[in-house]
Amino acid sequence: DAMVIQNPRYQVTQFGKPVTLSCSQTLNHNVMYWYQQKSSQAPKLLFHYYDKDFNNEADTPDNFQSRRPNTSFCFLDIRSPGLGDAAMYLCATSRDRDEQFFGPGTRLTVL
Amino acid sequence: GEDVEQSLFLSVREGDSSVINCTYTDSSSTYLYWYKQEPGAGLQLLTYIFSNMDMKQDQRLTVLLNKKDKHLSLRIADTQTGDSAIYFCAEIKGSQGNLIFGKGTKLSVKP
């Protein structure tokens, strides 16, 4: 089945220790998104790639970076995680900035 | 307002209808979406409506759109315990086609 896959589902890291979250898709969609969702809040867009073009949201901290080495994969790198970065991280894809399909999310815990 | 607004909680009895309301912000939004999120999971697209429609029905789901008031609602007929989840309303906004979410309505279904 075509889908959006996120690994790992649960990630524990230490304060200040870099961490990478992974997203892959079999939908061959042009656009890949990363959202941060804190408890009881709406998902907040961090950035997205349209093909290889990177689009950063104005209020996304510099601590968050992303890479998209090919159409199928997109990574979220958190360079120095703080306690406030603990959240669910959701990856989504869309064919052309239209309907978005979400992965199951990675829950990040920062100790 | 600048935010997508939803009431935070709704409680219904099994078998009753549920109506979840949303007020969005951008009258030029082309598509409006309803997503469902079960505990610890990603977002599942339930249904969407194009802005030139005022109603869309899909099995137990009915979406009503009032463009003049920027009001969107989701009606779930014959609500089941499996419908218990958080429901997010979302609009497409801006030239980048970003999804802007409401804070979500937590639906509790009592047997």
Side-chain angles (χ1 to χ4, degrees):
Chain A
D1 286 342
M3 56 175 50
V4 182
I5 302 158
Q6 290 190 245
N7 285 307
R9 294 292 310 278
Y10 301 91
Q11 176 73 57
V12 180
T13 191
Q14 291 179 328
F15 183 94
K17 185 174 180 184
V19 66
T20 294
L21 309 183
S22 168
C23 177
S24 63
Q25 54 128 341
T26 61
L27 297 156
N28 204 33
H29 280 174
N30 292 317
V31 195
M32 294 187 78
Y33 307 80
W34 279 104
Y35 290 84
Q36 179 193 63
Q37 186 183 23
K38 296 189 176 180
S39 183
S40 302
Q41 293 187 22
K44 179 177 176 301
L45 182 65
L46 295 172
F47 26 57
H48 74 276
Y49 273 95
Y50 191 107
D51 288 334
K52 295 179 181 176
D53 292 334
F54 178 69
N55 298 270
N56 197 31
E57 292 302 295
D59 55 356
T60 297
D62 292 340
N63 200 21
F64 292 86
Q65 305 283 322
S66 186
R67 296 171 282 135
R68 188 178 186 187
N70 53 52
T71 301
S72 300
F73 283 87
C74 195
F75 300 99
L76 169 62
D77 300 308
I78 309 176
R79 290 193 298 187
S80 182
L83 298 178
D85 297 327
M88 174 80 93
Y89 289 88
L90 297 165
C91 174
T93 74
S94 68
R95 185 177 49 82
D96 191 4
R97 293 201 172 106
D98 47 8
E99 182 181 331
Q100 291 186 24
F101 295 85
F102 282 79
T106 295
R107 182 164 294 285
L108 178 69
T109 300
V110 182
L111 300 177
Chain B
E2 293 193 3
D3 294 334
V4 177
E5 302 279 353
Q6 298 179 241
S7 52
L8 295 181
F9 301 99
L10 176 65
S11 180
V12 301
R13 293 218 169 269
E14 194 172 17
D16 288 350
S17 292
S18 308
V19 179
I20 302 171
N21 293 302
C22 169
T23 304
Y24 61 97
T25 67
D26 189 349
S27 56
S28 64
S29 291
T30 50
Y31 287 93
L32 295 140
Y33 299 88
W34 284 103
Y35 282 88
K36 176 183 180 183
Q37 186 176 37
E38 296 182 8
L43 296 170
Q44 173 196 353
L45 178 65
L46 272 184
T47 188
Y48 64 91
I49 189 166
F50 189 51
S51 59
N52 70 352
M53 300 168 68
D54 51 23
M55 186 181 94
K56 180 179 178 182
Q57 187 149 4
D58 183 0
Q59 299 181 340
R60 291 191 297 124
L61 304 178
T62 303
V63 179
L64 295 178
L65 175 60
N66 180 332
K67 276 193 76 173
K68 176 176 163 290
D69 295 337
K70 291 185 277 189
H71 185 262
L72 183 72
S73 69
L74 173 69
R75 179 177 180 270
I76 305 173
D78 187 26
T79 313
Q80 303 297 308
T81 54
D83 295 324
S84 293
I86 299 177
Y87 290 80
F88 289 93
C89 161
E91 63 175 339
I92 292 265
K93 197 165 182 178
S95 59
Q96 298 283 326
N98 291 344
L99 262 186
I100 306 299
F101 288 90
K103 286 187 166 62
T105 299
K106 184 173 183 178
L107 175 64
S108 298
V109 183
K110 300 186 188 315

